[in-house]
Amino acid sequence: MFHEKRVNGVLFLYSDLLPCPHGFSTRVGGVSSLPHLKSMNLGENRGDTPENIAENTRLFCLAAELPQSTVSARQIHSDQILYREEGLKKGEERPQCDGFYTDKRGVSLFVKIADCIPILLYAPDVEAVAALHAGWRGTAQNIAGKGVEKLTSLGADPQKMLAAIGVGIGQCCYQVDDPFIDAFLGALGEDFSRFLKKNGEDGRYYADLKGANKALLLSAGLKEEHIDLCSQCTMCQSTLFFSHRATNGVRGTMGAAIALP
Ligand SMILES: [Zn+2]
């Protein structure tokens, strides 16, 4: 189950299923002052200063008891997941990928979202974690299953893995068009049509990205009771969360992060 927690004014979500440092940020508790970034913007290229982003990252990590050494990506809606032993060094470019995994302590793995779905994985048997960014393209490329494979490559048993699917756009708001439906079902199979629902009022289809990612984790061998799913929707609550769709892209970015205990 997901819970809200407020530490030193920083409001974040966490899953009580994951017994390791982790968190999903909200808009609340940062230092960014521009209206569309207020106030916990963790994303580059949104009009914020590097100093604000660094301070927000520091405050979020402090609140969620995450290591201050962090790594995040230039996300490209791919299925690329990189192994990291440590945080980004000063001046090091963020790598292009959509997820990280590690079996080293002391590094916080970040993904950045504002409607997309963040997925955090913990493998207690080998002490390894992963953070994944799943928009619809990442979902269609099964980045969730590939994240499980990365931890399995370190010796982890998927049956023991724990997963938290964090806050993102809900099926209530995620209207999709025919090109989406063709690509989504083309990649994942007709079986995934169960994650599309036609709205009787507007006749449009709405997709359940969180449910689709949960199905992909189950296919990868995780147990149902080992998957936590956040029911909150970024677009429904765009004062609490940054939402790309609710703002036509004029928005900040939230983070989801995990580290080993
Ligand atoms: Zn919604």
Side-chain angles (χ1 to χ4, degrees):
M1 209 178 146
F2 276 77
H3 304 273
E4 289 185 358
K5 192 170 181 182
R6 194 184 287 265
V7 180
N8 297 326
V10 175
L11 184 69
F12 64 99
L13 307 181
Y14 71 96
S15 162
D16 59 18
L17 195 62
L18 295 187
C20 55
H22 73 283
F24 302 84
S25 74
T26 67
R27 295 185 67 156
V28 181
V31 298
S32 303
S33 56
L34 290 173
H36 72 287
L37 301 175
K38 265 184 176 171
S39 58
M40 182 56 89
N41 169 55
L42 293 173
E44 292 84 1
N45 307 319
R46 311 309 313 180
D48 214 344
T49 64
E51 293 75 19
N52 281 353
I53 298 165
E55 177 62 3
N56 288 342
T57 304
R58 190 187 73 80
L59 291 169
F60 173 64
C61 288
L62 201 62
E65 298 180 21
L66 284 155
Q68 288 290 344
S69 178
T70 68
V71 62
S72 64
R74 282 162 52 205
Q75 295 173 178
I76 50 175
H77 294 281
S78 70
D79 60 356
Q80 292 297 309
I81 305 163
L82 299 183
Y83 179 77
R84 281 299 296 201
E85 295 200 322
E86 56 190 356
L88 287 175
K89 295 182 213 64
K90 207 167 174 64
E92 182 183 354
E93 279 223 25
R94 287 173 297 132
Q96 281 196 20
C97 63
D98 287 274
F100 297 103
Y101 69 111
T102 195
D103 54 2
K104 298 285 187 267
R105 280 167 220 290
V107 55
S108 296
L109 308 179
F110 267 81
V111 288
K112 307 285 177 80
I113 64 121
D115 285 343
C116 288
I117 313 300
I119 303 169
L120 303 180
L121 300 175
Y122 175 49
D125 51 349
V126 298
E127 288 292 303
V129 289
L132 311 169
H133 160 251
W136 79 264
R137 291 185 196 85
T139 303
Q141 292 171 83
N142 191 15
I143 194 169
K146 284 165 187 163
V148 173
E149 277 173 26
K150 292 294 190 190
L151 297 184
T152 306
S153 75
L154 298 174
D157 178 358
Q159 293 267 304
K160 294 185 178 136
M161 262 177 229
L162 303 169
I165 300 172
V167 66
I169 195 163
Q171 190 166 23
C172 41
C173 292
Y174 194 43
Q175 188 190 93
V176 296
D177 52 14
D178 288 341
F180 168 96
I181 294 169
D182 292 346
F184 186 72
L185 298 183
L188 298 175
E190 286 297 322
D191 180 44
F192 274 72
S193 61
R194 68 188 195 273
F195 299 109
L196 300 171
K197 195 166 68 187
K198 193 170 185 176
N199 182 316
E201 280 173 34
D202 62 11
R204 304 293 299 268
Y205 281 92
Y206 289 75
D208 177 9
L209 279 190
K210 289 181 216 167
N213 278 290
K214 181 176 178 181
L216 291 168
L217 290 173
L218 289 170
S219 297
L222 270 72
K223 290 183 172 176
E224 169 116 43
E225 64 267 31
H226 286 173
I227 304 173
D228 202 356
L229 190 148
C230 180
S231 58
Q232 285 178 281
C233 169
T234 42
M235 191 163 170
C236 283
Q237 293 173 271
S238 57
T239 53
L240 183 58
F241 304 115
F242 292 119
S243 169
H244 189 82
R245 282 207 171 189
T247 57
N248 288 318
V250 185
R251 47 79 182 171
T253 303
M254 298 182 293
I258 190 166
L260 283 168

